[in-house]
Amino acid sequence: MEEFVSRIATNVGVDPALADKAVGMMLGFLQREAADGPATRMIEAIPGASELVAKHDGED
């Protein structure tokens, strides 16, 4: 997950902390709003994704 967030930050040209927050919030949104099951299984399958959701879930 760390490499993924770093690549996003580099490619988009934003601070890594902002990319970290954005990815965590997007994954959290998917987990809350998508059909039960598929999004949660995807997040659980990506190393570090669950922790990132927990870190940024509920932030504005």
Side-chain angles (χ1 to χ4, degrees):
M1 183 54 61
E2 191 175 306
E3 180 183 338
F4 178 68
V5 170
S6 178
R7 290 178 62 189
I8 289 173
T10 300
N11 289 335
V12 176
V14 298
D15 184 69
L18 180 60
D20 186 76
K21 182 177 179 178
V23 172
M25 291 175 71
M26 286 187 278
L27 291 174
F29 174 81
L30 287 174
Q31 191 172 40
R32 283 189 314 275
E33 303 298 327
D36 285 341
T40 300
R41 285 193 305 272
M42 176 194 70
I43 291 167
E44 290 172 351
I46 301 169
S50 295
E51 292 81 5
L52 197 58
V53 169
K55 181 177 171 183
H56 297 294
D57 193 32
E59 290 191 24
D60 294 331

